[in-house]
Amino acid sequence: MKVLLLGPSRPIIEQCIGRSGDVVQQMEERLHIEHPILEGVEFIVSYGYRYMVPADVLARFASRAVNLHISLLPWNRGADPNLWSYLENTPKGVTIHVLDSGLDTGPILAQIETPFLESDTLRTSYESLTKHLESLFCDLWPELRRGDAAITPQHGGGTIHRSAEKQAYEHLLTNGWDTPVMDLVGRALK
């Protein structure tokens, strides 16, 4: 099967897909229905992709297009989910969900709530979330490719953020990615 990976190169994800004998093509640019890369594609995996996948592309793939997201949906949809999980002190975790026309609103295929350590920084918590998400995907890939993974609808509530919202809190990132997460917990609620 030919799988399109949308977003930056993800060696672990590519290896998991490849172990099934599938071929991965990866791209970061904006996708449209006429893009030649779609020729022969049977499955789409979005992970760190900066664009919304167009509705006409999603219609072609139905439930064979998934997104890997470093938050425990419905919390922290959209941009900078790791940061917002601390700023708003919301549940932390990772989710794999079906892509739909909304922003991280599709039905959930799998998710794991993850703890954080008081010694974590934004960098170490991101690295931990990435490992959990990639492991979850590798475990789930056989079911995804067969089309028999269980699907659970997302319910209302949660939060959503756009990239521009981060600007109001950048002054709190005193050490950039190495800022201790304990310095950020609940700061957006004050």
Side-chain angles (χ1 to χ4, degrees):
M1 162 176 7
K2 182 177 169 186
V3 178
L4 177 59
L5 175 61
L6 296 174
S9 179
R10 304 287 184 165
I12 300 294
I13 299 302
E14 294 172 40
Q15 290 167 11
C16 290
I17 293 170
R19 279 196 291 272
S20 297
D22 301 317
V23 176
V24 178
Q25 281 199 279
Q26 177 263 332
M27 71 175 272
E28 293 184 65
E29 65 194 61
R30 190 179 298 271
L31 182 64
H32 58 83
I33 193 69
E34 300 296 327
H35 199 292
I37 200 166
L38 286 173
E39 176 135 359
V41 168
E42 296 178 57
F43 204 99
I44 294 177
V45 175
S46 172
Y47 183 14
Y49 188 57
R50 299 206 173 268
Y51 305 103
M52 297 287 288
V53 177
D56 55 355
V57 172
L58 292 176
R60 180 173 157 194
F61 290 92
S63 62
R64 297 183 65 77
V66 301
N67 185 50
L68 284 61
H69 192 68
I70 59 166
S71 82
L72 194 69
L73 293 176
W75 301 104
N76 307 304
R77 294 178 175 119
D80 304 301
N82 186 36
L83 174 65
W84 288 104
S85 73
Y86 293 104
L87 288 174
E88 295 179 333
N89 201 21
T90 55
K92 290 129 187 78
V94 297
T95 304
I96 299 173
H97 66 93
V98 175
L99 277 170
D100 67 5
S101 60
L103 185 58
D104 298 321
T105 57
I108 293 171
L109 295 157
Q111 62 184 174
I112 300 172
E113 187 166 4
T114 59
F116 74 96
L117 305 172
E118 289 187 12
S119 60
D120 269 331
T121 63
L122 284 175
R123 181 183 315 277
T124 61
S125 62
Y126 178 85
E127 290 167 350
S128 175
L129 289 170
T130 297
K131 286 178 185 171
H132 280 96
L133 185 55
E134 291 176 349
S135 176
L136 182 62
F137 176 83
C138 290
D139 290 344
L140 190 62
W141 178 242
E143 293 174 50
L144 289 173
R145 72 182 305 278
R146 287 191 311 264
D148 60 7
I151 296 175
T152 304
Q154 269 195 64
H155 299 290
T159 56
I160 187 168
H161 296 285
R162 303 286 182 177
S163 293
E165 293 175 60
K166 177 179 164 184
Q167 189 174 27
Y169 298 95
E170 285 181 336
H171 68 280
L172 298 174
L173 307 181
T174 55
N175 286 333
W177 276 84
D178 294 315
T179 300
V181 296
M182 292 305 294
D183 294 353
L184 304 173
V185 173
R187 296 295 296 270
L189 304 175
K190 296 178 181 181

